[in-house]
Amino acid sequence: MNLYKKILLAEVPLALALAIVCVVSVAVISSLGSHSQTVLKDNYRSVLAAQRMKEAIERMDTAALFIVAGERQKGIEQAEKNRPIFEAELKVQEGNITEAGEKEFTENLRRAWEDYQARFAAMQKTTSVEEAKRLYFAELEGAFYQVKAAADHILAINQDAMVRKSDAVRRTAESMKTITIIVGLAALALGLFLSSLLTRRMLQPLSALSEATHKLGEGNFDTRAHVRGNDELAQLARDFNAMAGRLSEYRKSSLGDLLQAHLSMQAAIDSLPDPVVIFSVSGELQNVNHAAETLLALSAETGIKEPLKRVHESIQVVLERVRSHVLSGKGAYVPRGFEDAVQLPTLLGNRYFLPRGAPVYETKGVVIGATVILQDVTRLRRFEELKNDLVATVAHEFRTPLTSLRMAVHLCTEGAAGPVSDKQAELLHAAREDCDRLQSMVDDLLDLSRIESGRIELFPLPTALSQLVQRAIEEHKPKADEAGLNLTADVPLPEARVLADHERIGHVFSNLIVNAIRYTPKGGIVTLGAEILDRSVRFTVTDNGKGIPSQYHERIFEKFSRVPDSEPRGTGLGLYIAREIIRGHGGEIGVASRGEPTKGSIFWFTLPLAGQPRSRGEA
Ligand code: ADP
């Protein structure tokens, strides 16, 4: 049965109920009609007959009076006219006996009528008026009243019956009304009940389909819609089940691939010796590798609430810092160097880690998570410490003999140990220069070890920037002149005070100026400048020397880093020490290339302003 027929079937009970109500109503109305018709037909006919008989007998009586009054012919004519009327009505009455007792009254009437007729005939025969008068008053009048009384009885019995039957009809109508209402309501209730039952049965496949769709939407691919029949809904359910089956197969096959991919990925990250932690875009822990589990006791198992809270606070802080950096859209978190290594308590004791973070992108380039790697640099760090200790010890041990060596060379050069020939003076001069270089190397190495061990102390004081620049120029002017270079300052210098440790900032200037002199050919210019920025002052040391390729701009500030093949060779520590000093002041340092045709480099660093900057024009 198709859906259309089912809908029609569901409406049948209501239609049947309506039909029942109609049939009952029609039956009630027709029963009432026939009932009242019977009343009219039977009793009304008797009432009519009785009345007509009464009229006829009265006219007969008048006819008799005509005869008594001497109008014999007129009386006979009137009597002849009314006799058949009476007779006919009496016959009707005799054939329409409906009430109890009516038969006796009718027989009485017949007898009285026949008696009246006999007496009327006797009176009619006499020709004497006197005799007629006597007969009338002696016999006929009494017979007349007998007939009339008998007709009145029939009239009364039928009128009473009419009243009684009319009451009965009214009562019947009342009860019929009640029956009709009860039957109508019952039929309606039954019709509604059956219709809703059928409609519900008809819609049951739809509920089954809707439930199955919901479960499928929740990921239950084994769900099926159980619908029987051959209608359109059953067909839809079969199609749905086929679709769910195909989806389930597809999911099983893609699930297998996914599982494989997941296992490979897990094996890959587990093979890494460093702890790897993967966060979702909302910051929840998604996955960890074996090293993270064994070293940090971190677990990404489901069911553990806030797994990050279960690890040591310092580990938590590092992970959260890298995670928020990456997920806030700042890109990868890359450590600046070994100095960013953090000591963390692991299950195998305290270890040094270099935290790194990288965003996880989906195919369209949207960030969907963050990967944090804690690179274990404990061994490297130990080597570094050993190296630093060695460097510090060697530099320290070098210092004292170097001082006496320099002193001895100096005294010999000055002739304190006797006269010196030109050739000897030349050799002594070269030895003094090498001693100076050795001294600056030892100083750099000692500074390095101080920085590494965090022993470098700064005492920043508010200082006029012009004072710092002028002092640097005065200090290095002779060296620049010796190298045939022009060392100048941009004039006018802005008036402002910066927070600077004089000695250390002097060291930074010294390093930058010495480098500029060293890498600028004879006849070049080295210029010192300063400009006031928002909250700091930017100092510059500009030269027109050979310049630095841009790929080394970052790297030359790292330890022992040099531009390859650059001569003369140094330790590669100067810029690193300068950077640490500037960072210690809360400033920044960097280098930029000068464009063609000038070539050369612009080294710059910033120092925080000590007070509000005042330009020259201001009071
Ligand atoms: P070094 O003791 O080797 O000079 P630095 O850290 O001071 O160490 O400098 C690192 C490297 O940067 C140098 O070796 C040199 O190659 C390059 N460099 C520094 N300043 C300049 C400059 N003004 N012009 C060209 N190269 C420079």
Side-chain angles (χ1 to χ4, degrees):
M1 200 188 285
N2 65 14
L3 206 56
Y4 171 73
K5 284 182 186 156
K6 280 191 177 173
I7 291 172
L8 275 187
L9 185 70
E11 284 169 5
V12 164
L14 264 182
L16 272 178
L18 207 66
I20 289 170
V21 172
C22 283
V23 168
V24 170
S25 306
V26 168
V28 167
I29 290 166
S30 53
S31 131
L32 279 176
S34 64
H35 212 70
S36 43
Q37 218 175 19
T38 316
V39 174
L40 274 179
K41 202 174 83 188
D42 299 343
N43 297 101
Y44 184 69
R45 190 69 196 90
S46 294
V47 168
L48 207 65
Q51 274 175 347
R52 282 180 185 162
M53 281 189 284
K54 271 174 78 183
E55 276 171 28
I57 199 70
E58 269 168 13
R59 287 214 187 93
M60 290 279 288
D61 186 50
T62 314
L65 284 175
F66 281 155
I67 295 169
V68 170
E71 292 287 331
R72 193 166 180 276
Q73 193 53 39
K74 195 178 173 185
I76 290 169
E77 278 173 18
Q78 183 155 328
E80 289 306 315
K81 221 165 95 188
N82 284 292
R83 189 175 292 121
I85 294 173
F86 191 100
E87 189 59 40
E89 290 302 325
L90 183 56
K91 282 221 169 79
V92 167
Q93 172 56 31
E94 281 170 339
N96 188 35
I97 291 174
T98 52
E99 305 303 319
E102 194 177 1
K103 194 172 176 219
E104 285 77 36
F105 286 125
T106 309
E107 284 167 2
N108 280 349
L109 182 61
R110 167 62 70 184
R111 273 194 300 277
W113 168 245
E114 280 171 4
D115 180 49
Y116 181 80
Q117 278 193 105
R119 289 178 199 279
F120 194 90
M123 193 192 78
Q124 197 181 320
K125 273 183 200 155
T126 180
T127 48
S128 154
V129 173
E130 281 307 313
E131 181 59 12
K133 189 176 177 182
R134 191 192 63 79
L135 279 174
Y136 177 78
F137 286 108
E139 297 178 19
L140 197 60
E141 192 184 13
F144 163 68
Y145 283 119
Q146 291 267 327
V147 172
K148 206 178 163 195
D152 271 339
H153 275 124
I154 291 170
L155 185 66
I157 201 169
N158 276 291
Q159 275 178 339
D160 284 353
M162 275 178 84
V163 169
R164 210 175 56 248
K165 284 183 183 173
S166 153
D167 279 351
V169 167
R170 193 175 45 76
R171 278 198 302 279
T172 312
E174 285 289 323
S175 54
M176 288 295 183
K177 194 170 103 186
T178 315
I179 288 169
T180 311
I181 289 172
I182 290 171
V183 169
L185 284 177
L188 206 68
L190 197 69
L192 267 177
F193 171 72
L194 288 176
S195 280
S196 68
L197 205 72
L198 283 172
T199 311
R200 195 174 307 149
R201 276 196 66 181
M202 195 182 71
L203 293 180
Q204 187 271 332
L206 266 185
S207 329
L209 255 173
S210 143
E211 197 182 328
T213 313
H214 185 73
K215 281 185 185 164
L216 191 75
E218 282 177 344
N220 181 358
F221 288 87
D222 294 329
T223 191
R224 296 290 180 273
H226 300 289
V227 177
R228 275 176 295 179
N230 281 319
D231 62 5
E232 292 85 339
L233 285 178
Q235 185 54 43
L236 185 65
R238 278 194 288 278
D239 290 345
F240 173 86
N241 289 343
M243 181 192 78
R246 278 196 292 279
L247 271 177
S248 171
E249 275 169 29
Y250 174 73
R251 198 172 96 122
K252 272 176 197 146
S253 64
S254 51
L255 204 68
D257 293 348
L258 264 175
L259 213 66
Q260 190 59 41
H262 177 77
L263 287 176
S264 312
M265 192 201 81
Q266 191 63 45
I269 64 167
D270 277 346
S271 68
L272 295 173
D274 296 325
V276 177
V277 184
I278 300 170
F279 292 99
S280 71
V281 73
S282 55
E284 279 159 24
L285 188 68
Q286 263 192 341
N287 199 6
V288 296
N289 71 343
H290 188 61
E293 282 174 347
T294 49
L295 280 176
L296 311 180
L298 200 59
S299 172
E301 270 176 38
T302 46
I304 300 177
K305 274 193 180 171
E306 302 194 55
L308 272 195
K309 293 250 153 62
R310 296 161 70 99
V311 297
H312 193 277
E313 203 184 326
S314 52
I315 301 174
Q316 192 185 324
V317 168
V318 171
L319 288 175
E320 280 174 354
R321 189 175 67 223
V322 181
R323 178 186 69 180
S324 58
H325 175 97
V326 175
L327 292 182
S328 62
K330 291 182 189 158
Y333 181 95
V334 185
R336 288 170 300 178
F338 264 126
E339 65 270 22
D340 282 349
V342 282
Q343 193 187 25
L344 298 178
T346 71
L347 297 182
L348 304 176
N350 284 349
R351 283 178 166 267
Y352 284 94
F353 292 98
L354 212 48
R356 290 174 190 278
V360 181
Y361 296 104
E362 55 114 75
T363 41
K364 285 180 190 157
V366 179
V367 175
I368 53 163
T371 305
V372 180
I373 302 173
L374 298 180
Q375 188 186 354
D376 191 345
V377 290
T378 314
R379 280 165 67 85
L380 288 173
R381 176 89 189 190
R382 297 246 160 87
F383 282 135
E384 185 85 356
E385 277 171 8
L386 270 174
K387 188 194 76 190
N388 286 346
D389 287 351
L390 183 73
V391 167
T393 316
V394 170
H396 199 75
E397 293 304 318
F398 259 46
R399 215 177 170 183
T400 325
L402 192 60
T403 310
S404 47
L405 192 64
R406 280 181 77 200
M407 182 68 75
V409 172
H410 181 73
L411 289 174
C412 287
T413 313
E414 295 298 312
V420 181
S421 68
D422 286 350
K423 188 70 189 163
Q424 285 170 329
E426 201 181 312
L427 288 172
L428 282 170
H429 189 72
R432 199 166 77 174
E433 269 189 1
D434 281 346
C435 278
D436 285 349
R437 275 196 33 219
L438 210 55
Q439 180 69 49
S440 105
M441 269 187 203
V442 167
D443 288 345
D444 279 353
L445 288 173
L446 280 171
D447 276 345
L448 173 71
S449 80
R450 274 192 214 108
I451 288 167
E452 301 281 88
S453 58
R455 280 185 287 120
I456 190 161
E457 274 186 298
L458 296 172
F459 301 100
L461 293 171
T463 315
L465 66 88
S466 55
Q467 187 189 334
L468 291 171
V469 174
Q470 290 307 337
R471 189 184 290 174
I473 289 198
E474 278 163 26
E475 204 177 312
H476 295 89
K477 191 85 178 145
K479 206 163 192 171
D481 290 345
E482 201 179 310
L485 295 170
N486 186 8
L487 175 65
T488 56
D490 273 340
V491 277
L493 285 167
E495 271 188 21
R497 286 152 78 80
V498 288
L499 282 174
D501 179 318
H502 293 202
E503 196 190 328
R504 299 289 177 190
I505 294 302
H507 191 86
V508 172
F509 264 123
S510 170
N511 186 272
L512 298 182
I513 294 168
V514 167
N515 276 351
I517 293 170
R518 207 185 270 173
Y519 299 107
T520 306
K522 217 170 185 175
I525 305 169
V526 177
T527 317
L528 271 56
E531 62 169 321
I532 298 171
L533 304 179
D534 196 14
R535 287 177 186 181
S536 58
V537 171
R538 187 173 188 265
F539 294 90
T540 49
V541 177
T542 311
D543 65 60
N544 57 354
K546 61 183 199 168
I548 304 165
S550 57
Q551 67 265 34
Y552 298 107
H553 281 185
E554 287 276 325
R555 227 185 288 167
I556 52 171
F557 291 94
E558 287 167 16
K559 250 182 286 179
F560 305 110
S561 174
R562 309 183 64 252
V563 176
D565 303 328
S566 67
E567 288 295 337
R569 289 174 66 87
T571 54
L573 278 174
L575 288 178
Y576 170 75
I577 293 166
R579 185 185 76 175
E580 293 309 304
I581 292 171
I582 295 301
R583 280 187 182 168
H585 279 79
E588 285 173 74
I589 188 166
V591 64
S593 287
R594 297 182 79 188
E596 297 288 349
T598 20
K599 278 176 76 182
S601 314
I602 307 167
F603 278 87
W604 59 266
F605 64 87
T606 58
L607 287 177
L609 271 169
Q612 282 304 306
R614 285 186 309 170
S615 69
R616 270 180 178 272
E618 282 175 346

